[in-house]
């Protein structure tokens, strides 16, 4: 072979176990503006909004910019599924009600569903037939949503029966009057007919419309009464995070129309009275990429090769989309660009228990059972209330992957992301009772850690309300890359090694005269010394003291004359990370100074 080449393979298994990030982060996801699949360096929040508008990618990029500094390489992934509105539900000073289900227009099913019970909160219920049946005896199957169709409980988890079947812990039950079940037909109890623990008492019913720019939990609370819209006395305040924060009071115009700023959502109040204390709630979904647009966005990062350390994907991944990211990262390694990706899995859907959610993401496809992210993927399971750096005072329920990416970008590559001396996780909603900021504590749900998800936990001995990241990655349990700092350091070492060895491509070296064609010892020692010295500067010596030791050794037994290939083995001894401290304390009759 005469084509000049230089390659390096990152090997795993060498450990035999069952400095500030040098480059920015590349953030990939959906946004309301910008050119798709075009990496753009962003240094400021104003520049981010001016170029990309709003959306999941913008929220995550803003957090990383604010917590870790810039620049950030932003890449818009083309939207495959637009953001959607769920069903509206309401609450006020009236009495509670189980709500009334109405058939969708065009329904031909003769079965009749009914909700009973005392709901513990307002819900927007939607029921869809997924398996048809001529009657209840034919075992038809339905799926149930508690947010108006944005998300659904597991199909078939609520049995179709003439006797009331509990819908989780909502206080609601579902029963059927026998009849036919036609595939895909549906029934809804939303708006004024939704189940609620206390009905709204005003007669003005709002209608929400538009295409949401992100996942919002919108609440519109009446703060000043109005006998009619034309009276121009009614005011409301709006929350985007389920009531954790509110904007200023807004007067409702005579038209009843109010466009909620920078959300893509408009609320239109109908004629009638508005009563103080009445509240109207609707959840929305975020715009979402598919694997094709995600792959295209990631592929576009080749135009900024070497300028970013890792990619952060805004939006939840499952086994399939994680595979898309893994394929991309593996391809970059083959091309000599050593990168990895920070991902997050889905949250619980409305009405889903933590136990059910945890079992789902740990299960088979679309869960991650048996999945090996190798040296390419870190998948965060923990969710919590994350500060928005685009909307002051707002705390969205989000996967903590964004705060993990911000932490990685602000600490040395060698450092454990949960190092207590570096401080607790920043960007969470203040958590004075140690219960509100993080929903999925991996110290409690240890099966998630065993399933190789990363996440957040509290640490004994630290104040309640402080949270710290685990170091776990989605690598196999026997991998050398089971901790994210191991991936980061190896990427740095591999990059430095490939650069150092590139200088020998096309070079001529002295060989032995004994007929073996092997490299001469003096030449081998010279290469060993030069490459080792450069690697030490990259990953051993301060300020780049990311590894304990590194050694390069040229293979002496290869017939260089016949193969034309210089072979080199590089060994990296990582720094140790303390994941646990075990201590014994006791009284004693004697003591030493």
């Amino acid at each position: 072979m005469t084509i000049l080449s230089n390659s390096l393979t990152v090997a795993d298994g060498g450990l035999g176990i069952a400095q500030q990030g040098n480059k920015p982060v590349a953030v990939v996801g959906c946004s309301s503006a910008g050119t798709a699949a075009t990496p753009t360096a962003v240094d400021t929040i104003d520049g981010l909004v001016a170029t990309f508008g709003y959306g999941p990618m913008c929220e995550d990029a803003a957090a990383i910019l604010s917590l870790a500094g810039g620049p950030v390489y932003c890449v818009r992934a083309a939207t495959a599924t637009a953001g959607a509105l769920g069903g509206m539900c309401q609450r006020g000073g009236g009495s509670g009600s189980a709500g009334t289900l109405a058939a969708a227009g065009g329904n031909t099913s003769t079965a009749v569903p009914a909700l009973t019970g005392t709901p513990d909160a307002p819900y927007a219920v939607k029921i869809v037939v997924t398996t048809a049946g001529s009657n209840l005896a034919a075992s038809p199957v339905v799926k149930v949503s508690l947010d108006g169709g944005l998300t659904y409980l597991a199909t078939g988890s609520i049995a179709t029966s003439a006797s009331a079947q509990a819908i989780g812990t909502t206080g609601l039950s579902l029963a059927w009057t026998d009849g036919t079940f036609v595939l895909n037909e549906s029934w809804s109890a939303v708006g004024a007919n939704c189940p609620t623990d206390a009905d709204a008492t005003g007669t003005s019913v709002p209608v929400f419309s538009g295409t949401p720019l992100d996942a919002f939990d919108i609440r519109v609370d009446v703060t000043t009464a109005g006998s009619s819209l034309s009276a121009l006395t009614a005011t409301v305040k709006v929350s985007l995070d389920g009531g954790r924060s509110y904007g200023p009071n807004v007067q409702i115009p005579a038209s009843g129309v109010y466009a909620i700023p920078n959300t893509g959502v408009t609320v239109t109040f109908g004629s009638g009275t508005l009563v103080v204390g009445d509240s109207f709630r609707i959840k929305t979904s975020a715009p979402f990429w598919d694997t094709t647009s995600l792959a295209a966005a990631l592929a576009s990062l080749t135009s900024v090769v070497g300028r970013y350390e890792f990619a952060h994907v805004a939006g939840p991944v499952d086994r399939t989309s994680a595979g898309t990211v893994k394929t991309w990262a593996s391809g970059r390694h083959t091309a000599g660009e050593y990168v990895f990706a920070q991902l997050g899995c889905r949250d619980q859907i409305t009405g889903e228990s933590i136990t059910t959610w945890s079992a789902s993401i740990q299960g088979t496809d679309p869960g991650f059972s048996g999945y090996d992210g190798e040296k390419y993927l870190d998948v965060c399971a923990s969710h919590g209330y994350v500060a928005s750096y685009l909307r002051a005072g707002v705390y969205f329920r989000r996967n903590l992957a964004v705060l993990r990416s911000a932490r990685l970008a602000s600490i040395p590559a060698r450092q454990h992301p949960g190092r207590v001396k570096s401080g607790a996780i920043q960007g969470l909603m203040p958590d004075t009772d140690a219960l509100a900021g993080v929903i999925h504590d991996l110290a409690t749900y240890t099966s998630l850690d065993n399933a190789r998800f990363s996440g957040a936990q509290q640490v004994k001995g630290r104040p309640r309300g402080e949270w710290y990241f685990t170091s776990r990655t989605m690598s196999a349990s026997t991998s050398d890359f089971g901790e994210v700092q191991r991936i980061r350091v190896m990427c740095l070492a591999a990059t430095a090694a490939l650069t150092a060895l590139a200088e020998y491509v096309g070079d001529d070296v002295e060989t032995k005269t004994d007929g073996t064609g092997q490299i001469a010892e003096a030449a081998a020692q010279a290469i060993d010394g030069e490459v080792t010295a450069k690697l030490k500067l990259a990953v051993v010596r301060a300020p780049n003291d990311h590894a304990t030791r590194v050694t390069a050794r040229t293979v002496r037994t290869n017939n260089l004359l016949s193969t034309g290939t210089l072979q080199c083995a590089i060994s990296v001894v990582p720094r140790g990370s303390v994941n646990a401290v075990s201590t014994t304390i006791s009284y004693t009759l004697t003591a030493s100074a």
Side-chain angles (χ1 to χ4, degrees):
M1 173 174 131
T2 59
I3 299 298
L4 301 180
S5 68
N6 181 27
S7 63
L8 181 149
T9 299
V10 177
D12 196 356
L15 297 180
I17 61 173
Q19 154 166 31
Q20 180 108 3
N22 293 329
K23 304 170 190 171
V25 181
V27 183
V28 178
C30 293
S31 62
S32 63
T35 303
T38 305
T40 304
V42 174
D43 294 287
T44 66
I45 300 294
D46 288 345
L48 172 66
V49 173
T51 305
F52 292 100
Y54 293 85
M57 184 272 282
C58 301
E59 285 286 346
D60 285 7
I64 294 170
L65 273 174
S66 299
L67 295 172
V72 170
Y73 280 93
C74 295
V75 189
R76 183 185 185 188
T79 296
T81 303
L85 296 164
M88 191 266 284
C89 54
Q90 45 80 25
R91 166 189 273 162
S95 58
S97 170
T100 303
L101 286 161
N107 259 23
T108 60
S109 298
T110 59
V112 179
L115 294 168
T116 58
T118 304
D120 61 350
Y123 293 102
V125 177
K126 185 174 182 180
I127 302 166
V128 179
V129 178
T130 60
T131 300
S134 57
N135 52 34
L136 287 171
S139 300
V141 178
V142 300
K143 60 181 181 180
V144 177
S145 171
L146 295 170
D147 53 22
L150 287 182
T151 59
Y152 287 88
L153 301 175
T155 299
S157 60
I158 312 300
T160 51
S161 171
S163 60
Q165 303 293 309
I167 303 176
T169 59
T170 62
L172 290 168
S173 294
L174 175 66
W176 294 85
T177 299
D178 206 357
T180 60
F181 292 76
V182 177
L183 184 65
N184 295 327
E185 292 193 345
S186 65
W187 299 260
S188 295
V190 299
N193 297 319
C194 74
T196 182
D197 52 350
D199 289 325
T201 56
T203 58
S204 175
V205 179
V207 174
F208 291 84
S209 60
T211 303
L213 303 182
D214 210 330
F216 303 115
D217 187 351
I218 298 175
R219 279 187 56 168
V220 179
D221 294 357
V222 179
T223 51
T224 305
S227 58
S228 67
L229 293 176
S230 59
L232 296 178
T233 59
T235 62
V236 299
K237 61 180 181 180
V238 178
S239 172
L240 300 179
D241 55 14
R244 284 176 288 276
S245 65
Y246 283 90
N249 285 329
V250 176
Q251 185 179 59
I252 299 302
S255 65
V257 178
Y258 175 59
I260 304 173
N262 302 317
T263 64
V265 178
T266 296
V267 56
T268 302
F269 283 89
S271 61
T273 61
L274 286 92
V275 175
V276 175
D278 282 358
S279 180
F280 308 94
R281 186 174 188 174
I282 190 169
K283 292 185 177 182
T284 74
S285 63
F288 197 58
W289 37 258
D290 61 11
T291 54
T292 299
S293 61
L294 176 61
L298 290 167
S300 72
L301 287 169
T302 56
S303 65
V304 289
V305 167
R307 301 182 196 173
Y308 65 97
E309 182 190 1
F310 64 95
H312 167 90
V313 176
V317 299
D318 59 14
R319 190 187 193 96
T320 299
S321 52
T324 296
V325 182
K326 178 181 173 181
T327 297
W328 163 78
S330 174
R332 297 319 309 151
H333 276 230
T334 300
E337 182 188 11
Y338 302 99
V339 295
F340 66 99
Q342 178 64 61
L343 312 174
C345 67
R346 74 167 179 89
D347 195 0
Q348 295 165 251
I349 64 175
T350 305
E352 184 180 37
S353 69
I354 288 182
T355 300
T356 301
W357 163 81
S358 177
S360 174
I361 64 172
Q362 292 182 59
T364 55
D365 196 6
F368 288 84
S369 176
Y371 188 81
D372 184 3
E374 299 183 49
K375 48 188 169 288
Y376 309 119
L377 304 183
D378 181 328
V379 183
C380 183
S382 291
H383 291 74
Y385 296 108
V386 176
S388 170
Y389 292 88
L390 297 181
R391 309 171 194 270
V394 174
Y395 292 92
F396 290 123
R397 177 164 170 156
R398 294 285 196 259
N399 190 291
L400 299 192
V402 58
L403 301 185
R404 186 173 177 85
S405 287
R407 172 55 61 98
L408 294 178
S410 62
I411 61 176
R414 67 178 182 276
Q415 195 176 105
H416 191 300
R419 182 174 182 262
V420 171
K421 289 181 180 179
S422 297
I425 298 172
Q426 299 298 302
L428 287 169
M429 183 174 71
D431 189 11
T432 55
D433 61 3
L435 296 174
V438 173
I439 295 127
H440 307 118
D441 181 351
L442 263 66
T444 300
Y445 304 103
T446 54
S447 65
L448 292 170
D449 177 71
N450 293 335
R452 294 168 293 111
F453 290 98
S454 62
Q457 66 167 99
Q458 296 184 82
V459 175
K460 293 178 182 179
R462 298 302 303 165
R464 287 173 60 83
E466 286 189 2
W467 296 89
Y468 298 87
F469 282 119
T470 65
S471 63
R472 180 77 77 183
T473 71
M474 194 51 76
S475 300
S477 58
T478 55
S479 172
D480 294 343
F481 303 102
E483 294 186 282
V484 68
Q485 62 270 27
R486 295 264 181 85
I487 293 178
R488 298 185 72 194
V489 171
M490 183 55 77
C491 286
L492 291 176
T495 299
L498 192 67
T499 300
L501 289 167
E503 296 186 11
Y504 296 97
V505 175
D507 198 10
D508 55 274
V509 295
E510 182 183 358
T511 56
K512 294 180 179 179
T513 58
D514 59 1
T516 62
Q518 297 169 355
I519 188 172
E521 181 60 27
Q525 288 184 12
I527 294 173
D528 292 350
E530 291 176 6
V531 175
T532 298
K534 291 176 181 178
L535 285 170
K536 285 182 177 179
L537 287 174
V539 296
V540 175
R541 293 177 181 167
N544 301 318
D545 47 348
H546 305 306
T548 299
R549 184 178 178 182
V550 62
T551 303
R553 180 169 176 79
T554 303
V555 175
R556 268 70 165 171
T557 56
N558 174 51
N559 187 331
L560 184 59
L561 288 179
S562 63
T563 65
T565 300
L566 176 69
Q567 297 178 348
C568 187
I570 296 173
S571 302
V572 180
V573 181
R575 293 169 70 98
S577 294
V578 179
N579 285 309
V581 176
S582 178
T583 308
T584 299
I585 185 171
S586 64
Y587 287 113
T588 182
L589 293 175
T590 61
S592 57

